[in-house]
Amino acid sequence: MELFSRSMALLRQAVTDGATPCAAAAVGVRNQLLATAVFGNARTEDTVIPADYATRFDMASLTKILSPTMIALKMLEEGRLTLCDTLGSYFDAPSDKAEITVFQLMTHSSGLLPHIMLQEETSDPAKAASVILSSELVCPPGSQVNYSCMGYILLGKILEQIGGKPLNELAEEYVFDPLGMTHTGYLPQGDHIAATEITPEGQCLQGVVHDENARFLGGISGNAGVFSDLSDCVTFATMLACGGRLNAENYLSPAVYEAAVRNYTPGCNQNRGLGFHLKGEASFHGDLFPAASFGHTGFTGTSLLIDPTTGLYVVLLANRVHPTRQNIRFLRVRRLFHNSVMAEFSSLSSACKQQ
């Protein structure tokens, strides 16, 4: 019997039932890949394109950990950034935001608005930071967790100032090239890309970032914009499952890795590390993953989940917003899938111990 066959069958049924047009999944333990599967069609509108292992997905907010979070952690190691750095050090920020820190941006405790439709506030992408900095706070900085794409857009712009390069080039330099993620990046070219939503104007987005603000910013942003495939996401997940190591070498130093996956917001509505979403009540992790589990999700249907206690990782990529974001059934499927994976893994581990 194939490993995780029940979990993969659950995912296949979800595609058959229309929870998402396609899905790609991988389950592994540290350096060992245990199971992979791809189901469904990468595009169903106008023309049908089957999904396969080369299909790249719009990572949506999974971008936050693939790009700016990793860049920030590497710059932290290099001594180019501290978590205490403030917005006022990089922008002409008003007094109520000048003391917001990089730490608060990365833990989503900055008090900045979760979302602003930037194109409705300005026609100039270069003024995005000014628009965000002029907006009202939803709460005093540091007082509670409010997941904010706006905070990560500002984080991306801070990193660009430090690195002296656009965010996409920094991501290649600090993340994708060192990890050998050759099918990952902003502004994807070519085919084998899963389609997402059909816009109000009738455009089927394929190879164009789904997130409106990232699209307004030219496809390169701290909150969204990265595209990747299953193989590269497995590489990234393997590194995290191995404590920041890949191929027996440290990508992240142990000190930075441990700092990144610590829970800085206990007792709040969400448990947050540096960029990472730690398990909490009714979180995407499901019911069976342990409390130390961490990862992230993307609006389009992507997610990555790590259990550092066992080294188990789960990569789940989907385009549940194709052809419309109104289809939210996949959000429950993700929790069901994670529950099933952990149940099968625990049974497998128990059987191995008894032999």
Side-chain angles (χ1 to χ4, degrees):
M1 184 176 180
E2 293 185 4
L3 296 177
F4 300 98
S5 57
R6 183 184 65 198
S7 300
M8 296 307 181
L10 184 156
L11 199 57
R12 180 194 294 273
Q13 189 61 48
V15 171
T16 299
D17 293 342
T20 179
C22 74
V27 180
V29 177
R30 298 190 177 92
N31 288 308
Q32 186 177 9
L33 178 62
L34 299 179
T36 61
V38 178
F39 306 109
N41 295 309
R43 179 170 178 150
T44 61
E45 301 300 303
D46 301 327
T47 183
V48 175
I49 302 175
D52 59 28
Y53 284 97
T55 299
R56 286 172 290 170
F57 290 80
D58 183 336
M59 294 288 104
S61 281
L62 209 55
T63 293
K64 292 181 175 70
I65 63 169
L66 288 166
S67 174
T69 291
M70 287 298 118
I71 297 168
L73 294 178
K74 295 300 290 183
M75 287 185 173
L76 192 63
E77 288 183 341
E78 294 176 345
R80 304 180 74 184
L81 172 76
T82 81
L83 298 178
C84 295
D85 286 354
T86 63
L87 290 184
S89 301
Y90 297 96
F91 305 103
D92 183 15
S95 58
D96 63 336
K97 301 178 187 70
E99 297 305 312
I100 291 174
T101 63
V102 167
F103 171 83
Q104 291 167 342
L105 296 178
M106 296 185 72
T107 57
H108 295 279
S109 58
S110 66
L112 292 167
L113 284 170
H115 180 75
I116 301 170
M117 192 68 80
L118 295 174
Q119 63 190 24
E120 296 180 357
E121 303 298 326
T122 179
S123 60
D124 184 0
K127 295 182 179 178
S130 297
V131 170
I132 297 169
L133 291 169
S134 65
S135 65
E136 295 183 1
L137 293 172
V138 295
C139 63
S143 64
Q144 58 183 273
V145 174
N146 282 283
Y147 180 81
S148 176
C149 285
M150 301 301 103
Y152 256 76
I153 290 174
L154 291 182
L155 177 62
K157 293 187 177 300
I158 289 172
L159 300 174
E160 289 179 333
Q161 288 190 42
I162 296 172
K165 298 177 182 178
L167 191 62
N168 60 320
E169 294 182 19
L170 293 174
E172 293 287 345
E173 176 183 345
Y174 278 97
V175 191
F176 309 145
D177 284 349
L179 293 177
M181 298 170 65
T182 57
H183 303 110
T184 303
Y186 292 90
L187 305 175
Q189 302 296 314
D191 51 11
H192 279 107
I193 301 174
T196 56
E197 196 164 22
I198 296 178
T199 68
E201 295 76 28
Q203 178 190 7
C204 181
L205 299 174
Q206 189 170 17
V208 178
V209 63
H210 175 261
D211 180 85
E212 294 92 345
N213 283 326
R215 202 156 68 239
F216 174 70
L217 295 173
I220 302 170
S221 180
N223 72 308
V226 168
F227 288 71
S228 189
D229 66 1
L230 188 63
S231 177
D232 277 4
C233 286
V234 165
T235 297
F236 189 77
T238 298
M239 179 273 293
L240 293 173
C242 292
R245 294 174 64 82
L246 187 67
N247 300 325
E249 295 184 0
N250 282 334
Y251 168 70
L252 293 174
S253 67
V256 165
Y257 175 84
E258 291 167 10
V261 301
R262 188 180 306 154
N263 182 12
Y264 294 101
T265 59
C268 293
N269 57 311
Q270 291 182 8
N271 294 326
R272 288 282 167 181
L274 299 178
F276 293 102
H277 186 182
L278 281 66
K279 186 181 178 182
E281 185 177 351
S283 59
F284 81 96
H285 308 65
D287 308 297
L288 303 181
F289 269 74
S293 302
F294 66 91
H296 212 284
T297 62
F299 187 81
T300 51
T302 59
S303 62
L304 185 150
L305 179 58
I306 309 291
D307 171 16
T309 61
T310 62
L312 177 69
Y313 67 80
V314 183
V315 176
L316 183 55
L317 307 178
N319 61 338
R320 66 101 187 164
V321 296
H322 180 60
T324 172
R325 70 182 67 190
Q326 301 307 315
N327 184 0
I328 62 172
R329 287 177 289 164
F330 191 72
L331 306 185
R332 180 173 182 269
V333 169
R334 182 165 55 205
R335 295 189 182 98
L336 295 172
F337 183 69
H338 288 158
N339 284 347
S340 181
V341 167
M342 179 52 79
E344 289 194 273
F345 175 70
S346 63
S347 296
L348 178 65
S349 299
S350 177
C352 290
K353 291 178 181 178
Q354 293 174 11
Q355 291 179 354

